Amino acid sequence: MGYPAGMVRQPLTAEQIAAGQRLGAALRAARAGRSLVEVALAAGISPETLRKIEAGRLPAPAFGTVVCLSQAFDVPLSELADVWLADMPVRQAS
C-alpha cells in the first residue's frame, strides 16, 4: 500500500529514539517476574515485537500496541505517555 504520492515517513529524531528507549526500559521494569511470552500474548502482540520494544530497537511502536501493553501491565496509559514525554523538547501550540 505505502504512502500517497508526496508523503514520506520522516526518520525518527534522536529525542524520539531516546523516548523509545525509555519506554522500553519502563515496560521491561513493569514486566518484572512475568515472562516475555506471557505478557506479549496478554497484549496480543508477538514476543519478538515486545522484545524489540523493550530493547529500544522498535522506538516508536504503534499506538494500539502501547494501549494493549498498558492493559497487559495494568499500567495507566498516561504513565507510559509521561515516560515517553520525559526529556522531550516542549512544543509550542500552533
Side-chain angles (χ1 to χ4, degrees):
M1 184 165 182
Y3 292 97
M7 287 186 67
V8 177
R9 182 175 180 184
Q10 297 296 315
L12 297 175
T13 65
E15 291 87 3
Q16 290 169 321
I17 291 170
Q21 291 168 341
R22 285 191 305 276
L23 178 64
L27 293 173
R28 193 170 45 255
R31 185 162 55 85
R34 295 172 65 187
S35 80
L36 186 131
V37 172
E38 173 190 348
V39 172
L41 293 176
I45 63 174
S46 74
E48 184 59 24
T49 297
L50 180 54
R51 186 176 291 110
K52 287 179 182 177
I53 294 168
E54 286 187 357
R57 291 190 350 245
L58 184 58
F63 179 72
T65 299
V66 177
V67 169
C68 290
L69 286 168
S70 168
Q71 291 179 334
F73 285 121
D74 197 25
V75 173
L77 190 56
S78 61
E79 284 186 27
L80 297 179
D82 288 344
V83 168
W84 175 269
L85 293 171
D87 298 330
M88 291 291 267
V90 177
R91 293 182 143 184
Q92 297 294 324
S94 44

